[in-house]
Amino acid sequence: MIICATNQVGKQIGTHWVIENITMDIHEGEKIGWVGPNGCGKTTLLRMLAKEETPDRGEIFHRKGARIGYLAQVPSFTKEVSIREALLDAFVATQSLQIEMDDLSNRMGDPLLAPEKLTRLLARFQLTQEAFERAGGYENEAKVRKVAHGLGFAEKMLDTPFHTLSGGEKTKVGLARILLQEPDLLLLDEPTNHLDLAAVEWLEDYLSRIPATVIVVSHDRTFLDRVVHRIFDLEGGELVLYEGGYSFFVKEKEKRLLLEFEAYQEQQKKIKKMKEAIKRLREWANRANPPNDGMHRRASSMEKALQRIEQRKKPVLERKKIGLRFEMEMRSGNDVLIAEDVSKWFGERIVLEAVDLRVRFRDRVAIVGGNGSGKTTLLRMATSQMEPDIGEIRVGSGVKVGYLSQVGWEGDSQMTVLEAFREEVPVEEGEARHLLAKFLFYGYAVFRPVHHLSGGERMRLRLAQLMYQGVNFLILDEPTNHLDIDAREALEEALMEFDGTILAVSHDRWFLNRLFSPVYWLEKGALQRFEGNYDEAREKRNQSTNRIKW
């Protein structure tokens, strides 16, 4: 049964049609991934399905009575509530019953209550309690604990005031609340943002098992492969359907584009021949004395036939990508980074305890672990932005460090893109603009203030700086954050060609599996080394600790 459908839907922003003539059917229980470059309209289309926006043309249909859950922004509450209360707020159907039961219970406790009135209240309480039980009210607390734990909220955190949480934590509460509402149609926009690896893998399992229809916009390629069974590719305002996960989509899209390009070339040859034939007929007709009307009619007939041909669009075989290539000026010594017996604490909380780490020239080392486990702290100490409380961290001889933080470029946000770039890369303005164009900053975009940039643009700006600084040791903290899939692939290819050393923190499993070995797991202040890529390290870790899979 169809739960949602669109017919010739279009959306215009200014004079530009972001989405054009989108027609699709979405069936109950489907798990669908939407992919496409940043700015192609994925979020706009999702918001229209969520009834947050209306199309400028066309129609959107929903199954009557379908409950929609949409994750888009940080939730807000009119009063101060704890995480637990915010999550229990998801159970609207049972809240009023719980309030009524509490009220009846208080009234029945009145010692002066007449027996006949007590009997009536007791009968009413039993009916309300039965309705509460049928609606699953007694399971609400258990559901809250299960979902909260899966997304990384320990039991002791549930009483934390919601307003004291970080933006990422508030978004996680919003996601948990939507999951608890058990909607029929679940619309998720980048749900893995702010989640650590354990929470992402828990969410994958959860979404795979629930009966709801799920539509997810994501740049997390592993997440898409493990959750969705259909891919909708949105590009140039058009939507193309692929029956399979992300890996299947990549192969099939390449095949489709090559076939379309061949068909486009064949049509262009045919059109060229027809134009040449029309031109010859007219020349012959005009040379005749008197001019040959029959040839003119044939030329006109062919011209009309040419106009009736529906010309194919030239397929874009490869979109413009950022032009990344890291080149080091000189190699470092064999020992690049050495951490010995390093401990760090904040107040009474121990973040790192007796940590040892050695990174050698041309190593590709990844550090993974839960949010708040100390990964960024360790990187900041490696870049001398922070000092250990105990132990020592040393950078080897000839090492030139390039650091990429989670937010990309950090500095005076009032500076323009051009000013920020030239602050780190001392080149003339014309050369700077030429170099920035390789990172998709064209024309007047280089004069935009940095505070107007998106997260992905800030990341591209910092990558542009690093590329021209001749570094031989890259320290990367969540480098794929905010980047679309094309930019992630460009970054991966550049890092694969880089001759220097890389130390990275990431939650992107595709990125980790493609580039890094060994993998260090940071947990409870301790750092444990595993040979192999992320999947191999995870398997070894589960075996060594007799863990069940997340």
Side-chain angles (χ1 to χ4, degrees):
M1 181 183 292
I2 293 174
I3 191 170
C4 182
T6 68
N7 180 37
Q8 299 293 305
V9 163
K11 185 69 177 180
Q12 191 174 20
I13 297 179
T15 59
H16 175 59
W17 285 93
V18 180
I19 293 169
E20 292 185 88
N21 304 323
I22 299 294
T23 298
M24 62 181 175
D25 293 335
I26 298 167
H27 296 83
E28 290 182 352
E30 286 189 322
K31 305 292 191 290
I32 298 169
W34 281 355
V35 300
N38 285 342
C40 70
K42 302 186 297 295
T43 294
T44 300
L45 188 52
L46 205 66
R47 285 178 59 83
M48 288 193 288
L49 292 190
K51 302 181 181 180
E52 297 278 328
E53 290 187 25
T54 55
D56 291 323
R57 67 181 179 210
E59 298 174 291
I60 297 178
F61 308 95
H62 293 87
R63 192 197 70 200
K64 188 176 180 180
R67 295 169 298 164
I68 301 172
Y70 174 49
L71 175 69
Q73 57 189 7
V74 175
S76 60
F77 297 92
T78 55
K79 60 179 182 178
E80 289 190 7
V81 297
S82 66
I83 293 176
R84 188 191 309 276
E85 290 168 329
L87 296 182
L88 285 171
D89 188 58
F91 304 107
V92 178
T94 58
Q95 272 189 325
S96 58
L97 295 173
Q98 180 69 65
I99 292 169
E100 186 176 356
M101 285 168 57
D102 292 342
D103 179 59
L104 291 170
S105 182
N106 290 333
R107 290 164 64 184
M108 287 187 296
D110 184 356
L112 302 178
L113 192 66
E116 63 276 9
K117 194 165 185 180
L118 177 62
T119 301
R120 288 197 300 272
L121 288 175
L122 182 60
R124 187 174 161 191
F125 181 86
Q126 288 174 334
L127 289 173
T128 306
Q129 187 180 44
E130 288 171 4
F132 183 77
E133 186 174 359
R134 285 196 303 273
Y138 288 112
E139 301 167 11
N140 290 351
E141 281 280 358
K143 288 179 180 177
V144 163
R145 286 194 296 272
K146 179 182 177 182
V147 171
H149 177 71
L151 291 175
F153 292 114
E155 177 71 27
K156 62 184 179 182
M157 281 191 68
L158 294 181
D159 294 317
T160 303
F162 178 81
H163 73 273
T164 65
L165 302 178
S166 68
E169 289 171 329
K170 287 179 178 179
T171 302
K172 285 169 66 175
V173 172
L175 174 59
R177 190 164 171 265
I178 289 170
L179 297 179
L180 289 168
Q181 289 171 346
E182 299 181 347
D184 302 307
L185 177 61
L186 185 56
L187 307 171
L188 303 175
D189 197 352
E190 293 290 352
T192 61
N193 282 358
H194 310 296
L195 298 185
D196 59 25
L197 285 165
V200 170
E201 292 180 359
W202 175 87
L203 181 62
E204 287 171 351
D205 181 62
Y206 187 93
L207 294 178
S208 298
R209 288 187 289 104
I210 62 174
T213 304
V214 178
I215 300 176
V216 57
V217 169
S218 181
H219 298 312
D220 187 327
R221 294 156 288 180
T222 302
F223 180 82
L224 290 171
D225 254 348
R226 294 184 178 179
V227 172
V228 309
H229 311 297
R230 303 175 88 195
I231 293 285
F232 283 175
D233 181 28
L234 187 58
E235 186 175 4
E238 299 179 349
L239 200 66
V240 179
L241 169 64
Y242 295 86
E243 298 286 355
Y246 179 77
S247 295
F248 173 84
F249 149 74
V250 171
K251 295 175 184 175
E252 289 301 306
K253 181 174 182 178
E254 184 178 0
K255 290 180 187 175
R256 180 182 68 81
L257 288 176
L258 288 173
L259 289 173
E260 286 184 0
F261 188 71
E262 289 175 7
Y264 168 80
Q265 286 182 312
E266 286 301 315
Q267 188 183 62
Q268 289 301 303
K269 290 178 185 176
K270 181 179 178 182
I271 290 171
K272 183 180 179 182
K273 288 180 179 178
M274 289 180 71
K275 286 181 176 178
E276 290 172 349
I278 292 167
K279 184 180 178 181
R280 282 197 305 270
L281 283 171
R282 287 208 167 119
E283 286 177 351
W284 293 343
N286 290 332
R287 284 179 194 167
N289 189 13
N292 191 315
D293 290 337
M295 286 187 179
H296 273 301
R297 284 195 297 272
R298 284 177 61 191
S300 297
S301 178
M302 287 185 70
E303 198 165 45
K304 289 176 183 176
L306 181 60
Q307 291 170 353
R308 287 194 297 269
I309 292 176
E310 186 177 343
Q311 294 200 26
R312 295 177 176 271
K313 287 184 180 179
K314 184 178 181 180
V316 180
L317 296 180
E318 188 171 346
R319 289 193 294 268
K320 288 184 178 178
K321 293 185 180 181
I322 57 175
L324 262 178
R325 183 177 177 84
F326 299 101
E327 293 186 3
M328 60 182 191
E329 292 175 354
M330 55 178 283
R331 64 154 288 172
S332 67
N334 288 331
D335 286 329
V336 175
L337 180 72
I338 299 172
E340 293 179 331
D341 200 31
V342 168
S343 295
K344 184 71 181 178
W345 54 83
F346 297 103
E348 297 181 357
R349 178 170 169 256
I350 298 174
V351 179
L352 300 170
E353 187 171 17
V355 163
D356 292 318
L357 173 67
R358 173 166 288 193
V359 180
R360 296 178 64 81
F361 178 63
R362 298 199 73 182
D363 277 354
R364 303 285 194 268
V365 176
I367 301 175
V368 302
N371 287 340
S373 62
K375 303 184 301 297
T376 294
T377 299
L378 185 55
L379 293 193
R380 287 191 175 274
M381 287 192 289
T383 55
S384 301
Q385 298 176 58
M386 193 180 290
E387 294 295 326
D389 292 316
I390 295 176
E392 183 183 14
I393 293 185
R394 301 190 306 275
V395 173
S397 63
V399 173
K400 187 174 183 180
V401 176
Y403 175 62
L404 177 71
S405 75
Q406 290 185 22
V407 296
W409 185 85
E410 294 179 303
D412 182 0
S413 62
Q414 299 302 317
M415 297 174 71
T416 66
V417 171
L418 185 61
E419 289 168 341
F421 178 74
R422 293 181 68 195
E423 185 178 52
E424 296 287 337
V425 184
V427 294
E428 295 295 325
E429 180 178 323
E431 177 67 8
R433 295 186 66 171
H434 172 71
L435 298 176
L436 284 167
K438 295 181 179 180
F439 289 81
L440 311 185
F441 293 108
Y442 302 112
Y444 288 104
V446 301
F447 299 113
R448 290 172 61 197
V450 173
H451 65 82
H452 285 167
L453 300 184
S454 67
E457 288 169 330
R458 282 175 175 254
M459 196 67 74
R460 295 206 314 264
L461 174 56
R462 181 59 184 145
L463 287 170
Q465 291 175 328
L466 288 175
M467 196 174 91
Y468 297 107
Q469 290 179 334
V471 300
N472 53 32
F473 182 26
L474 287 168
I475 298 181
L476 311 174
D477 194 357
E478 296 290 355
T480 60
N481 271 6
H482 311 295
L483 297 181
D484 62 20
I485 290 175
D486 283 346
R488 291 181 186 208
E489 290 177 348
L491 174 60
E492 288 165 359
E493 289 161 11
L495 293 177
M496 289 172 74
E497 295 176 0
F498 179 54
D499 287 329
T501 308
I502 306 172
L503 173 64
V505 163
S506 181
H507 292 146
D508 185 334
R509 292 158 296 171
W510 194 289
F511 176 73
L512 290 169
N513 282 326
R514 189 176 182 191
L515 287 165
F516 295 94
S517 176
V519 171
Y520 284 84
W521 221 287
L522 184 55
E523 186 175 26
K524 295 180 180 178
L527 197 62
Q528 188 176 7
R529 176 186 171 116
F530 295 94
E531 297 299 331
N533 63 18
Y534 169 75
D535 283 344
E536 293 166 337
R538 179 175 177 269
E539 190 63 32
K540 290 173 184 175
R541 175 174 176 266
N542 289 338
Q543 292 171 357
S544 66
T545 56
N546 293 319
R547 292 172 179 267
I548 59 170
K549 292 187 177 181
W550 285 326

